[in-house]
Amino acid sequence: MSGLNTPAEAWDVFVAHPWVLLLMPVVSAFIGWITKVVAIEMVFRPIDFKGIGPFGWQGQLPRRAAKFGAEAADIILDNVVDPRELVDRLDPQRIATECDDIMVDAINSVARDILGPRWDQVPARAKALAIARARSRAPQMVANLLQQAQDNIDELFNISYIVTAELIKDKRLLVDLVRGPMGPVMTFMKRFGLVFGFLVGLLQMVIFAFTESHLVIPIAGLIVGLVSDWIALQMVFEPKEEKRYFGLVKWQGLAFAERDHFITEYAKIAAEKVLGPELILGALLDGPLADRLFALVHQEVEAAIDAELGLVEPLVPAAIGTARYEALRRTVVAAASSRVHEASERLGPYLIEALDVERTVEVSLGALSNEGLEAMLRPVFKDDEWLVVVIGGGLGFVVGELQVFLLTRLGGL
């Protein structure tokens, strides 16, 4: 037909197909909702690339794990947590006590290497005295180790590197660190898509009644998918401060309106999964600090054996870097590292209390300006924002075309 229907003719169209037209805002609302779900999932999923050859998709965040992992580590450690302060909170006596059996195993291994078969022939009492002397020095060894960590924080106790490596390796952890705290933002985006789609659907229904043009339907779907994605993303970050619109509606970018929730959840995840006891102990019992710890243990065991057994011959191999010495070092360090999980379970409650990472992160993030918070969150959505919006529009158009097919085949329009 040519031209537009009169209001009476438009009403006749509605009366002739009431349920078909009333379904338009419902389907449009679905389009608004599903395009938001897809947009959100495209940010976080799949964790690993899915597809054939170069054609496929990987979540924006996992795909850029190296970039976002480094940024997250920098945010936590540069603006939030001072590694030196963390080290300073640790009590060497408490750590030595909780890790006593790990230390005893290390002492036995070193002593056996120093004396060879003679260690097994040493009287039990003399052996016990030598071990006890070395064990009594454990708190001081740990204190020395922590002091070395503080003095050479970037070289020996580079938590930034450790956290970055962990977030890059464990992409699910990186996703949890961002997605968990942003729950209210995700919920808002879905609800906004639903409401926006429904309103556009009402307009679509009216326009169709006046035009009876099937083209209106996929175009409406395109608008819902394209425009609502873009508007929803803007509403997350704009405005930074609360504003009143049209003298009636007050609005503040949801990321800032919900900043307290975000900060609380982010701090909780950072404390439990990112800077938890296992990672801290892993940093102490692995890498350069593990070598320093082994050297300290070796030195103390030598002194204890010399004092208790009265040995005067050189106890250390003439060439300190011999294969035998290096093999022992690797063995002891690997054994200690393998028990990080066990040690973290024992020390966990103490480390959580002493380090108080959750409270530290919460207070520090709370001090960030809204601009600083946006700089922290916006890159997650910004890099491929255009692609997400385009795909949302394309999906809306496709669903609209499917709606046309169903209306013409089943609805008789």
Side-chain angles (χ1 to χ4, degrees), residues 17 74 110 112-113 153 161 169 289 296 312 362 393 395:
H17 308 280
D74 288 345
V110 172
R112 183 168 286 105
D113 185 76
I153 200 77
Y161 171 81
K169 179 181 71 174
L289 275 178
L296 290 170
V312 293
E362 193 170 338
L395 180 61

Side-chain angles (χ1 to χ4, degrees), residues 19-174:
W19 295 112
V20 173
L21 268 69
L22 287 173
L23 274 175
M24 287 184 179
V26 175
V27 174
S28 186
F30 170 76
I31 293 173
W33 175 80
I34 195 63
T35 52
K36 301 306 155 295
V37 171
V38 170
I40 291 168
E41 294 306 314
M42 285 179 67
V43 172
F44 300 108
R45 296 174 62 185
I47 298 296
D48 300 308
F49 180 84
K50 302 292 184 184
I52 301 174
F55 303 101
W57 184 259
Q58 182 180 15
Q60 292 170 248
L61 194 58
R63 180 156 49 92
R64 291 186 169 88
K67 173 186 175 182
F68 289 121
E71 288 178 352
D74 288 345
I75 288 166
I76 292 173
L77 299 171
D78 290 350
N79 302 317
V80 178
V81 176
D82 181 356
R84 287 183 176 83
E85 183 183 344
L86 287 182
V87 174
D88 192 48
R89 295 177 186 177
L90 299 176
D91 178 8
Q93 178 68 54
R94 182 69 178 271
I95 294 175
T97 300
E98 294 292 345
C99 297
D100 183 67
D101 59 341
I102 296 177
M103 190 66 71
V104 170
D105 288 347
I107 290 169
N108 266 310
S109 296
V110 172
R112 183 168 286 105
D113 185 76
I114 290 173
L115 294 180
R118 287 181 295 166
W119 178 246
D120 294 322
Q121 299 167 9
V122 170
R125 182 175 179 279
K127 185 186 295 187
L129 288 172
I131 292 175
R133 178 182 285 267
R135 286 172 68 190
S136 69
R137 293 282 298 163
Q140 187 57 50
M141 280 189 276
V142 175
N144 291 343
L145 186 73
L146 296 180
Q147 187 60 55
Q148 291 183 33
Q150 280 193 322
D151 294 342
N152 305 276
I153 200 77
D154 294 328
E155 176 189 355
L156 299 180
F157 197 60
N158 193 337
I159 300 183
S160 178
Y161 171 81
I162 296 167
V163 170
T164 301
E166 185 67 19
L167 290 174
I168 293 173
K169 179 181 71 174
D170 190 349
K171 295 182 178 65
R172 293 185 187 279
L173 174 58
L174 180 59

Side-chain angles (χ1 to χ4, degrees), residues 129-347:
L129 288 172
I131 292 175
R133 178 182 285 267
R135 286 172 68 190
S136 69
R137 293 282 298 163
Q140 187 57 50
M141 280 189 276
V142 175
N144 291 343
L145 186 73
L146 296 180
Q147 187 60 55
Q148 291 183 33
Q150 280 193 322
D151 294 342
N152 305 276
I153 200 77
D154 294 328
E155 176 189 355
L156 299 180
F157 197 60
N158 193 337
I159 300 183
S160 178
Y161 171 81
I162 296 167
V163 170
T164 301
E166 185 67 19
L167 290 174
I168 293 173
K169 179 181 71 174
D170 190 349
K171 295 182 178 65
R172 293 185 187 279
L173 174 58
L174 180 59
V175 167
D176 289 344
L177 186 62
V178 177
R179 184 167 193 162
M182 295 193 74
V185 172
M186 310 302 177
T187 300
F188 160 77
M189 291 180 68
K190 295 174 188 176
R191 290 176 178 171
F192 174 80
L194 196 72
V195 172
F196 184 87
F198 184 80
L199 294 176
V200 172
L202 290 175
L203 180 62
Q204 172 195 23
M205 180 181 69
V206 173
I207 293 174
F208 182 84
F210 276 93
T211 65
E212 296 185 64
S213 171
H214 291 163
L215 189 59
V216 169
I217 298 172
I219 288 178
L222 175 67
I223 292 172
V224 171
L226 199 67
V227 177
S228 64
D229 272 8
W230 184 83
I231 293 177
L233 287 170
Q234 303 314 306
M235 292 179 73
V236 169
F237 295 103
E238 296 294 339
K240 295 180 181 62
E241 304 298 334
E242 186 178 83
K243 289 184 179 180
R244 185 180 293 273
Y245 296 89
F246 310 110
L248 298 172
V249 180
K250 292 190 297 184
W251 184 257
Q252 181 182 17
L254 203 65
F256 313 117
E258 295 285 346
R259 62 176 288 147
D260 289 345
H261 171 87
F262 173 82
I263 288 170
T264 299
E265 291 300 311
Y266 194 93
K268 183 178 180 181
I269 294 174
E272 290 179 357
K273 299 181 179 180
V274 180
L275 282 173
E278 194 156 343
L279 183 139
I280 299 296
L281 283 175
L284 290 172
L285 296 176
D286 199 5
L289 275 178
D291 293 339
R292 298 291 181 98
L293 179 59
F294 171 76
L296 290 170
V297 171
H298 203 286
Q299 176 183 331
E300 295 300 335
V301 173
E302 280 181 357
I305 290 175
D306 183 60
E308 298 301 331
L309 305 182
L311 299 175
V312 293
E313 73 263 29
L315 297 175
V316 186
I320 202 73
T322 60
R324 174 185 169 199
Y325 182 83
E326 284 302 307
L328 174 66
R329 180 190 63 79
R330 288 193 296 271
T331 299
V332 172
V333 169
S337 298
S338 69
R339 300 180 70 170
V340 166
H341 182 70
E342 175 189 344
S344 69
E345 286 187 339
R346 297 184 199 168
L347 279 168

